[in-house]
Amino acid sequence: TNTSWTRSSVPYLVRSTSTFFKEVSVRSNTLTIEPGTEIFFENGNGITVHDGGTLVAQGTTDSPIIFQGFDPVPGAWSGIYFNDTSTPNRITNAEIRHAGAEKDFAKGGIIMRTNPVVSLSDILFEDIDGCSVFHKSDTQNPNLTTNNLSHMNTQGALCTE
């Protein structure tokens, strides 16, 4: 079932008490996040987009989408993980803060496994434990498009294994 997260006066809080499944899992559906939506992630939680799943997070200049750790420190949450997705994923006009808890032996704000189709535009990466964008391969992802990415207190912009 497709799901939309909408702007609210109260931010979303992603939390899990499970040891193994600390994520919002997008499988065979689309998660749409609307402009102005704020999402806080507790320790180690994150978003994983699996094959067949799609993430569409399109903020605006005046209403960016905010992804951040509940604790405002680098590595507070695992970030956004794209796992072999073939459908077009988009994140625009967003701020990604405090990510970088280890996920699949990688750390970053956005982690890509193999070559998912991902478009990133007008994103501020801030206080990331790891690279802003990490590709789990020894080459750059040919399906990644980027435009106007900013990096503050990260360990690199675009990194590969």
Side-chain angles (χ1 to χ4, degrees), residues 63-77:
S63 294
I65 297 169
I66 311 294
F67 301 90
Q68 63 188 354
F70 186 75
D71 294 321
V73 297
W77 63 290

Side-chain angles (χ1 to χ4, degrees), residues 16-161:
S16 173
T17 56
S18 171
T19 304
F20 300 106
F21 300 105
K22 291 188 170 195
E23 65 184 31
V24 172
S25 187
V26 182
R27 297 177 185 270
S28 303
N29 62 338
T30 298
L31 172 58
T32 301
I33 303 175
E34 296 183 358
T37 302
E38 291 184 72
I39 307 142
F40 286 87
F41 296 86
E42 283 199 335
N43 187 25
N45 287 270
I47 295 175
T48 298
V49 182
H50 298 275
D51 192 24
T54 304
L55 175 63
V56 178
Q58 293 185 261
T60 65
T61 303
D62 294 331
S63 294
I65 297 169
I66 311 294
F67 301 90
Q68 63 188 354
F70 186 75
D71 294 321
V73 297
W77 63 290
S78 64
I80 301 168
Y81 185 87
F82 293 98
N83 185 15
D84 303 329
T85 62
S86 57
T87 57
N89 297 277
R90 290 182 304 283
I91 303 175
T92 61
N93 289 297
E95 298 174 11
I96 298 175
R97 301 184 184 124
H98 317 126
E102 190 171 301
K103 169 80 175 175
D104 195 21
F105 305 105
K107 292 168 138 185
I110 292 176
I111 300 168
M112 299 175 296
R113 185 163 183 249
T114 64
N115 294 317
V117 179
V118 179
S119 174
L120 306 173
S121 179
D122 300 300
I123 301 173
L124 168 64
F125 293 90
E126 186 175 10
D127 294 331
I128 307 295
D129 186 5
C131 292
S132 296
V133 179
F134 186 88
H135 185 215
K136 289 189 58 66
S137 173
D138 58 0
T139 61
Q140 289 292 337
N141 178 359
N143 298 321
L144 172 66
T145 57
T146 63
N147 180 48
N148 197 30
L149 305 183
S150 301
H151 316 276
M152 295 176 58
N153 192 27
T154 70
Q155 296 173 10
L158 299 171
C159 303
T160 59
E161 258 184 339

